[in-house]
Amino acid sequence: MDTPLVARMQPFGTSIFAEMTQRAVAADAVNLGQGAPDSGTPPELVQWAHEAMLDGRNQYPPFLGVPELREAIAAHQQRFHGLAVDPAQVLVTVGATEALTASILALVESGEEVVVIEPAYDSYAAAVALAGGVVRPVPLTLPGCELDLDALEAAFSERTAMVVVNTPHNPTGAQLTREELAAIGRLAERHDAVILSDEVYEHLVYDGGAHLGPAMVPECAERTLTVSSAGKTFAVTGWKVGWVHGPQPLVDAVAKVKQFTTFGVGTPLQPAVAKGLALPDAVFTELAATHQRRRDLLVEGLRGVGFTCETPPAGYFVIADAAPLGVTDALAWCRAIPDEAGVVGVPVQAFCSDPAHAPTLVRFGFCKPEESITEGVRRLAAWAERQG
């Protein structure tokens, strides 16, 4: 029998992240590819979730989210980002991925276009395909990670329904500037497009920097859906508790799709995340400080092996150029090194519609214990030495 998969989804095979994780397990490799944090979950969150279960909060939640979590998300946005958010404009989702996918399904008609800044997380294009839309990619310059505003403008048309923004950016760790966000906002207004902003790394900004999302920029605020989650902030990626907020008509549209997909999010997890968002500032600053130390350890180690890499200002990942080590195809190299070196990375090609945009770049994660980073670097150094 030919594949029963609908034609619009046939270009999407097994996720590169799933593939590399499988290779890591098979080779007993140090997995520096997957963005699953090993930094430890605040024990209070686990206790609060346990208490909610014991209190009987184990049935279907309100599909919009439990009230205390929606209120906590609104308070979090005011506390950390100065955004006045009405809890009624907050929708709790099964992780950030559902928030992104439901937003695209709700707001992009078949044949409409979605501007996506690349490299881009692979779920964006898949969600656009599910909606029957068309991706219009705009590449960041690499390694500088600047947004070409002329190319951005050229990607917009009368068919543009949405522009997807990811800041801090996966995989580069770059942050879009106020000027770049303002330009996006002006183009979105001109073409009556929605801005969908993926901000899951909002608390992972380093060197004294600060997070800046589109909703915090006047040119974008009135047409932005902001997406984030508890997964990266509290190292609970398996809980799949995310959210989206924005103008009421946009959130209402997303909610109509969400109610017919997953309906609700794990009931006892929601009050635990609500309390987590109200933890003292020190919890969030120490999170960033911990990852900054790990970032510096990984950057120094990769440079010592012979990679060329920039120091990312935010996020979980370092982009390393393997060309100085003789690598010409990062995808092939990443598939080989779990067995050859006992380490896993992810090729940046997987984030690009045109693999030629990043032929030798590899994403390595520093959301791991320092001993894992040190061991991964040691194994890469041993591999490089064997190459002669």
Side-chain angles (χ1 to χ4, degrees), residues 153-297:
E153 183 172 7
F156 279 78
S157 76
E158 69 278 2
R159 294 182 298 278
T160 303
M162 179 179 286
V163 53
V164 179
V165 170
N166 176 207
T167 187
H169 183 255
N170 177 13
T172 67
Q175 293 178 281
L176 292 176
T177 67
R178 184 174 296 275
E179 292 73 21
E180 289 168 337
L181 291 172
I184 290 169
R186 288 190 292 269
L187 286 166
E189 181 177 15
R190 185 188 309 168
H191 295 275
D192 195 25
V194 173
I195 300 169
L196 181 60
S197 184
D198 178 354
E199 302 179 21
V200 297
Y201 299 101
E202 61 185 311
H203 286 293
L204 296 165
V205 179
Y206 313 121
D207 305 311
H211 173 60
L212 180 67
M216 301 159 67
V217 176
E219 290 86 347
C220 303
E222 296 302 316
R223 57 184 62 249
T224 294
L225 283 170
T226 300
V227 172
S228 193
S229 81
K232 303 297 192 294
T233 299
F234 298 123
V236 288
T237 55
W239 285 18
K240 299 298 290 181
V241 178
W243 51 83
V244 56
H245 71 79
Q248 194 72 62
L250 297 180
V251 174
D252 288 347
V254 179
K256 284 187 168 64
V257 170
K258 193 257 189 301
Q259 71 177 324
F260 295 115
T261 53
T262 59
F263 184 80
V265 179
T267 305
L269 305 179
Q270 293 191 53
V273 171
K275 293 179 180 178
L277 292 175
L279 284 167
D281 288 358
V283 173
F284 299 90
T285 55
E286 180 54 32
L287 171 76
T290 296
H291 283 84
Q292 182 172 321
R293 290 193 299 271
R294 294 172 175 179
R295 176 203 65 177
D296 294 345
L297 180 65

Side-chain angles (χ1 to χ4, degrees), residues 27-375:
D28 193 24
V30 176
N31 190 350
L32 299 181
Q34 189 180 28
D38 293 341
S39 51
T41 301
E44 304 99 311
L45 264 73
V46 177
Q47 181 62 34
W48 290 327
H50 185 211
E51 290 172 357
M53 293 177 194
L54 294 177
D55 287 343
R57 300 188 70 170
N58 299 302
Q59 305 307 318
Y60 294 123
F63 90 90
L64 295 174
V66 301
E68 63 258 51
L69 178 53
R70 297 171 75 201
E71 292 166 4
I73 292 165
H76 168 277
Q77 296 301 83
Q78 177 65 61
R79 172 185 171 192
F80 288 102
H81 308 317
L83 290 172
V85 176
D86 186 335
Q89 296 174 308
V90 176
L91 173 65
V92 179
T93 59
V94 181
T97 299
E98 187 192 33
L100 295 161
T101 300
S103 297
I104 291 168
L105 289 172
L107 300 167
V108 177
E109 296 280 8
S110 179
E112 289 187 327
E113 297 178 354
V114 178
V115 175
V116 176
I117 298 167
E118 293 188 344
Y121 184 52
D122 64 351
S123 79
Y124 303 161
V128 173
L130 281 170
V134 178
V135 170
R136 292 293 178 226
V138 178
L140 289 173
T141 60
L142 295 175
C145 297
E146 294 176 349
L147 182 59
D148 183 333
L149 297 184
D150 290 334
L152 177 71
E153 183 172 7
F156 279 78
S157 76
E158 69 278 2
R159 294 182 298 278
T160 303
M162 179 179 286
V163 53
V164 179
V165 170
N166 176 207
T167 187
H169 183 255
N170 177 13
T172 67
Q175 293 178 281
L176 292 176
T177 67
R178 184 174 296 275
E179 292 73 21
E180 289 168 337
L181 291 172
I184 290 169
R186 288 190 292 269
L187 286 166
E189 181 177 15
R190 185 188 309 168
H191 295 275
D192 195 25
V194 173
I195 300 169
L196 181 60
S197 184
D198 178 354
E199 302 179 21
V200 297
Y201 299 101
E202 61 185 311
H203 286 293
L204 296 165
V205 179
Y206 313 121
D207 305 311
H211 173 60
L212 180 67
M216 301 159 67
V217 176
E219 290 86 347
C220 303
E222 296 302 316
R223 57 184 62 249
T224 294
L225 283 170
T226 300
V227 172
S228 193
S229 81
K232 303 297 192 294
T233 299
F234 298 123
V236 288
T237 55
W239 285 18
K240 299 298 290 181
V241 178
W243 51 83
V244 56
H245 71 79
Q248 194 72 62
L250 297 180
V251 174
D252 288 347
V254 179
K256 284 187 168 64
V257 170
K258 193 257 189 301
Q259 71 177 324
F260 295 115
T261 53
T262 59
F263 184 80
V265 179
T267 305
L269 305 179
Q270 293 191 53
V273 171
K275 293 179 180 178
L277 292 175
L279 284 167
D281 288 358
V283 173
F284 299 90
T285 55
E286 180 54 32
L287 171 76
T290 296
H291 283 84
Q292 182 172 321
R293 290 193 299 271
R294 294 172 175 179
R295 176 203 65 177
D296 294 345
L297 180 65
L298 181 57
V299 168
E300 180 181 5
L302 291 173
R303 288 173 177 166
V305 171
F307 293 92
T308 301
C309 52
E310 303 291 324
T311 300
Y316 265 0
F317 308 105
V318 172
I319 301 301
D321 191 347
L325 297 171
V327 174
T328 57
D329 182 342
L331 176 58
W333 186 76
C334 285
R335 284 174 167 159
I337 62 163
D339 292 316
E340 294 182 7
V343 178
V344 164
V346 171
V348 177
Q349 295 173 28
F351 298 83
C352 302
S353 54
D354 179 5
H357 186 52
T360 61
L361 301 183
V362 181
R363 188 190 82 168
F364 292 107
F366 52 86
C367 50
K368 309 294 178 183
E370 293 183 12
E371 55 268 27
S372 296
I373 295 171
T374 299
E375 176 61 16

